[in-house]
Amino acid sequence: MSEPQSAYIVGRIPKLPPRFALIVMPWLMSGMMSGIISMVNLVRSLGLSQQALHAWPGTWLLAWSVAFPTVMLVMPVVKRITQKLVRLS
């Protein structure tokens, strides 16, 4: 039996209304993907080193600042292509 879901994120901070899912999901996805990809590229270029670890946060933020708006712009196109490729019902 699962526990009932809390109405709070943490402490007394309430969860966002459902309409925010259209922003939160791509924001989190673009953040995670840009973080992983920027680290892989830095390690590939500089090796697993202190230099790569120190450069990563700035590189990640730059990549995320491009990734999130890009995801928001291309998501409608990806949804349409997905609807043509996948039987949804």
Side-chain angles (χ1 to χ4, degrees), residues 72-89:
M72 296 302 289
L73 286 171
V74 302
M75 194 172 355
V77 175
V78 171
K79 283 182 180 180
R80 282 195 297 274
I81 294 169
T82 301
Q83 289 171 346
K84 291 184 183 294
L85 298 174
V86 177
R87 185 172 10 122
L88 298 173
S89 55

Side-chain angles (χ1 to χ4, degrees), residues 2 4 7-8 11 20-22 24 26-27 29 31 37 46 48 50 57 59 61-62 71 73-74 78 81 83 85 87:
S2 65
Y8 299 97
F20 285 92
L22 293 174
V24 171
W27 182 73
M29 181 69 75
I37 291 167
L46 304 175
L48 190 54
Q50 284 292 102
T59 303
L61 288 175
L62 177 61
V71 167
L73 286 171
V74 302
V78 171
I81 294 169
Q83 289 171 346
L85 298 174
R87 185 172 10 122

Side-chain angles (χ1 to χ4, degrees), residues 2-62:
S2 65
E3 294 180 33
Q5 282 198 343
S6 171
Y8 299 97
I9 297 171
V10 76
R12 294 301 223 162
I13 300 171
K15 287 187 177 180
L16 297 169
R19 71 179 184 271
F20 285 92
L22 293 174
I23 303 274
V24 171
M25 196 279 298
W27 182 73
L28 291 171
M29 181 69 75
S30 64
M32 290 179 194
M33 290 297 296
S34 61
I36 293 165
I37 291 167
S38 63
M39 180 54 95
V40 167
N41 284 329
L42 275 173
V43 168
R44 188 167 180 254
S45 296
L46 304 175
L48 190 54
S49 64
Q50 284 292 102
Q51 184 183 9
L53 294 176
H54 284 34
W56 179 64
T59 303
W60 181 11
L61 288 175
L62 177 61

